[in-house]
């Protein structure tokens, strides 16, 4: 439970001018501050009251609604007051100043969500999903974030934890009673359970990787020789005249960036300078940037003139897709494959197939109604868990019960960090400090 006695407050609505602005207050002094500002004594929970909001000098700052959420039946698990006034920048800060003068302190970024976590209202995955809902870059990301917020991802992790704990009990019981005539470690049912545990982990890791892509998006670098049609391809993907198109080679010398959404996935497109030999120092800088972006991008679209593709081998780089352009200039082309797609950017032919190829490359599972958002830290913990589980299974096959039990313990510890059942203060600090103030 959260042992802090501080009462915190913050503006919960975005900066700027709007019809409504909200001040959120949480903590043991919330009701007292509410009474002093609004004059309302003992408000009923979840009932709206109209009031004038006054400062210490009894000057009316604003008027609006008062809402009371009695702990623990509130977001933070504490007494929470919301003051809903007019959404002007100055009036909101005047109201917040009045609240702070009555004993509250300014909330840190994410402190309301942190208190909800510490008071067992939500787990760590759900807390992160709140921030993901706010920052979602597509409709599909919003829906996936809501599934994580409802607990779909947490349920999956808790299911694995339950299997893991059952397996630990089995293995450790066999160690504790070595005098039994039956060799419990050699039991086929135990080995099948260990195998099932590993398979469930692999499936969850694949789905979580898709959740990370949906949450954080991907970067796509468009590279190739001058005049291969990179800018034309960019315009096809953005469906805008984003880049200047010219028959003159080397039109693009700097990086052109554009944010789009492809089948629910947030994407940053990076159109780069044509890669070629040149003595021009400006072009050399553009080419150097292109090579850097190529190395850093999640996906590379290598645009190649159709007249040159016969001399090339299919790309062996997992993140590269060869885009054979200008197919409108030839009669016949070869079949598409995983790393090679034939298009005509001029005629907008083959673009849908290219988009599907990109999506297939970055998502290891289809985006559907069971997809949830996830973060890179979740992937890291799942990978660590999987390593320990693989070692535990191998040790079990070698009849090394003590070693297997230790690997299972480490696996449980790594997996528990995802939901926050086992977590360090440093981890919590990194997560909640990335939230906006008032959340």
């Amino acid at each position: 439970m959260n042992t802090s006695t501080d009462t915190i407050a913050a503006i919960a609505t975005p900066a700027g001018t709007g019809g409504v602005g909200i001040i959120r207050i949480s903590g043991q002094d919330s009701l007292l501050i509410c009474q002093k500002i609004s004059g309302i004594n003992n408000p009923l929970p979840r009932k709206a009251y109209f009031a004038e909001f006054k400062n210490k000098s009894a000057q009316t700052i604003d008027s609006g609604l008062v809402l009371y959420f009695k702990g623990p039946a509130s977001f933070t698990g504490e007494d929470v007051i919301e003051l809903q006034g007019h959404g002007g920048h100055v009036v909101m800060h005047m109201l917040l100043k009045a609240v702070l003068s009555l004993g509250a302190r300014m909330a840190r970024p994410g402190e309301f969500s942190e208190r909800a976590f510490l008071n067992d209202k939500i787990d760590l995955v759900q807390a992160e999903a709140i921030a993901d809902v706010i920052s979602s870059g597509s409709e599909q990301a919003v829906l996936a974030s809501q599934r994580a917020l409802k607990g779909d991802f947490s349920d999956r992790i808790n299911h694995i934890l339950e299997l893991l704990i059952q397996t630990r009990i089995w293995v450790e019981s066999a160690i504790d009673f070595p005098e039994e005539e039956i060799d419990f470690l050699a039991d086929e049912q135990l080995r099948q359970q260990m195998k099932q545990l590993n398979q469930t982990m692999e499936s969850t890791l694949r789905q979580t990787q898709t959740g990370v892509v949906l949450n954080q998006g991907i970067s796509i670098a468009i590279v190739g020789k001058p005049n291969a049609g990179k800018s034309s391809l960019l315009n096809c993907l953005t469906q805008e005249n984003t880049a200047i198109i010219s028959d003159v080679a080397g039109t693009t010398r700097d990086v052109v960036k554009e944010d789009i959404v492809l089948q629910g996935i947030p994407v940053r497109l990076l159109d780069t300078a044509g890669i070629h030999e040149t003595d021009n120092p400006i072009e050399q800088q553009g080419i150097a940037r292109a090579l850097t972006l190529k190395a850093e991008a999640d996906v590379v679209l290598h645009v190649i003139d159709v007249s040159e593709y016969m001399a090339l081998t299919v790309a062996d780089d997992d993140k590269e897709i060869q885009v054979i352009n200008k197919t409108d200039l030839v009669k016949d082309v070869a079949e598409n494959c995983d790393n090679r797609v034939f298009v005509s950017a001029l005629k907008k032919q083959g673009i849908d197939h290219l988009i599907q190829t990109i999506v297939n490359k970055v998502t290891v599972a289809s985006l559907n109604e069971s997809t949830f958002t996830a973060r890179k830290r979740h992937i890291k913990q799942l990978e660590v868990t999987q390593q320990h589980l693989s070692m535990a299974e191998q040790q079990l096959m070698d009849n090394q019960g003590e070693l297997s039990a230790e690997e299972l313990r480490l696996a449980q510890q790594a997996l528990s960090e995802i939901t926050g059942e086992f977590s360090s203060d440093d981890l919590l600090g990194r997560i909640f400090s990335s939230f906006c103030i008032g959340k």
Side-chain angles (χ1 to χ4, degrees):
M1 294 291 290
N2 177 27
T3 58
S4 173
T5 59
D6 291 351
T7 297
I8 58 174
I11 300 173
T13 41
T17 301
V20 177
I22 299 174
I23 302 290
R24 178 176 287 161
I25 312 167
S26 180
Q28 62 182 10
D29 293 332
S30 296
L31 279 173
L32 179 61
I33 293 172
C34 172
Q35 188 273 325
K36 290 181 177 179
I37 276 195
S38 68
I40 296 175
N41 289 305
N42 301 317
L44 294 174
R46 302 175 184 274
K47 181 180 178 181
Y49 296 84
F50 179 79
E52 289 188 344
F53 305 140
K54 299 184 178 182
N55 60 20
K56 277 186 172 182
S57 302
Q59 295 174 310
T60 298
I61 302 171
D62 198 5
S63 60
L65 298 180
V66 174
L67 284 170
Y68 170 46
F69 300 91
K70 181 176 175 59
S74 69
F75 173 67
T76 62
E78 305 170 333
D79 283 351
V80 172
I81 290 289
E82 285 191 0
L83 306 177
Q84 301 186 5
H86 295 93
H89 173 78
V90 175
V91 69
M92 275 287 100
H93 280 82
M94 289 177 67
L95 185 54
L96 177 61
K97 182 179 178 181
V99 170
L100 298 179
S101 72
L102 293 171
R105 68 164 172 81
M106 187 69 182
R108 302 188 308 271
E111 190 168 1
F112 290 94
S113 297
E114 183 180 16
R115 291 193 175 192
F117 166 71
L118 293 173
N119 289 328
D120 295 326
K121 302 297 293 184
I122 54 176
D123 63 28
L124 206 50
V125 170
Q126 291 172 300
E128 291 169 309
I130 294 170
D132 294 341
V133 169
I134 295 170
S135 61
S136 292
S138 69
E139 291 183 8
Q140 196 143 7
V142 170
L143 297 176
S145 299
Q146 288 289 357
R147 285 189 282 272
L149 181 55
K150 286 193 304 180
D152 288 9
F153 186 22
S154 301
D155 289 346
R156 176 69 67 89
I157 298 302
N158 289 330
H159 172 66
I160 298 175
L161 275 170
E162 183 60 32
L163 284 175
L164 206 164
I165 291 169
Q166 291 174 8
T167 307
R168 279 192 68 190
I169 292 172
W170 196 329
V171 172
E172 292 182 11
S173 296
I175 296 170
D176 290 340
F177 299 99
E179 69 278 0
E180 296 290 336
E181 294 182 3
I182 301 173
D183 185 358
F184 290 104
L185 291 178
D187 192 311
E188 182 60 28
Q189 186 177 348
L190 172 58
R191 298 192 176 193
Q192 286 298 319
Q193 182 163 313
M194 185 76 82
K195 184 177 181 181
Q196 179 192 355
L197 185 55
N198 267 300
Q199 289 174 342
T200 305
M201 266 300 306
E202 291 172 3
S203 172
T204 301
L205 182 55
R206 288 196 299 271
Q207 192 168 5
T208 305
Q209 287 168 337
T210 296
V212 171
V213 168
L214 193 58
N215 178 25
Q216 301 186 355
I218 60 170
S219 61
I220 299 179
I222 305 175
V223 303
K225 293 182 179 180
N227 212 27
K230 300 185 299 299
S231 297
S232 297
L233 181 63
L234 174 72
N235 290 347
C236 283
L237 293 173
T238 61
Q239 299 183 16
E240 299 282 351
N241 291 324
T242 303
I244 298 173
I245 298 173
S246 171
D247 292 332
V248 178
T251 303
T252 303
R253 294 190 175 187
D254 204 348
V255 179
V256 179
K257 302 176 182 178
E258 190 73 14
D259 292 325
I260 63 171
V261 176
L262 295 180
Q263 294 189 16
I265 300 174
V267 171
R268 167 155 287 192
L269 291 171
L270 307 166
D271 182 21
T272 65
I275 299 174
H276 64 291
E277 295 291 335
T278 178
D279 294 327
N280 187 313
I282 297 177
E283 286 189 319
Q284 287 175 347
Q285 289 184 42
I287 293 168
R289 292 184 184 183
L291 293 173
T292 299
L293 290 172
K294 179 181 179 181
E296 295 175 349
D298 297 300
V299 175
V300 175
L301 301 183
H302 184 185
V303 184
I304 302 164
D305 192 295
V306 70
S307 64
E308 299 183 10
Y309 92 92
M310 291 295 290
L312 298 173
T313 57
V314 176
D316 57 3
D317 186 343
D318 286 340
K319 71 178 185 180
E320 181 175 317
I321 301 172
Q322 291 180 343
V323 184
I324 313 304
N325 190 26
K326 304 184 182 180
T327 56
D328 54 295
L329 300 179
V330 297
K331 291 183 178 180
D332 299 308
V333 294
E335 293 290 329
N336 293 314
C337 61
D338 289 344
N339 288 339
R340 178 175 285 178
V341 178
F342 293 85
V343 305
S344 169
L346 178 64
K347 302 292 185 180
K348 296 181 172 57
Q349 296 171 349
I351 303 302
D352 288 343
H353 185 83
L354 174 61
I355 291 172
Q356 188 60 56
T357 302
I358 294 169
V359 172
N360 291 344
K361 184 170 287 291
V362 298
T363 59
V364 291
S366 59
L367 299 176
N368 52 43
E369 293 184 357
S370 65
T371 304
F372 46 76
T373 54
R375 297 186 170 201
K376 288 183 178 179
R377 83 166 187 93
H378 302 149
I379 294 291
K380 179 182 178 182
Q381 292 307 122
L382 287 172
E383 289 175 341
V384 171
T385 303
Q386 188 176 42
Q387 290 170 7
H388 288 303
L389 287 178
S390 296
M391 288 296 297
E393 185 175 13
Q394 182 59 52
Q395 299 291 1
L396 186 64
M397 296 297 292
D398 296 339
N399 213 35
Q400 298 292 326
E402 291 86 353
L403 295 177
S404 182
E406 176 61 12
E407 292 294 342
L408 289 172
R409 185 190 69 80
L410 293 172
Q412 182 179 346
Q413 180 174 302
L415 195 59
S416 295
E417 279 204 26
I418 292 179
T419 58
E421 182 180 335
F422 173 85
S423 57
S424 65
D425 291 340
D426 179 59
L427 172 65
L428 298 182
R430 291 200 309 271
I431 290 174
F432 289 108
S433 64
S434 67
F435 283 41
C436 55
I437 295 175
K439 219 27 184 151

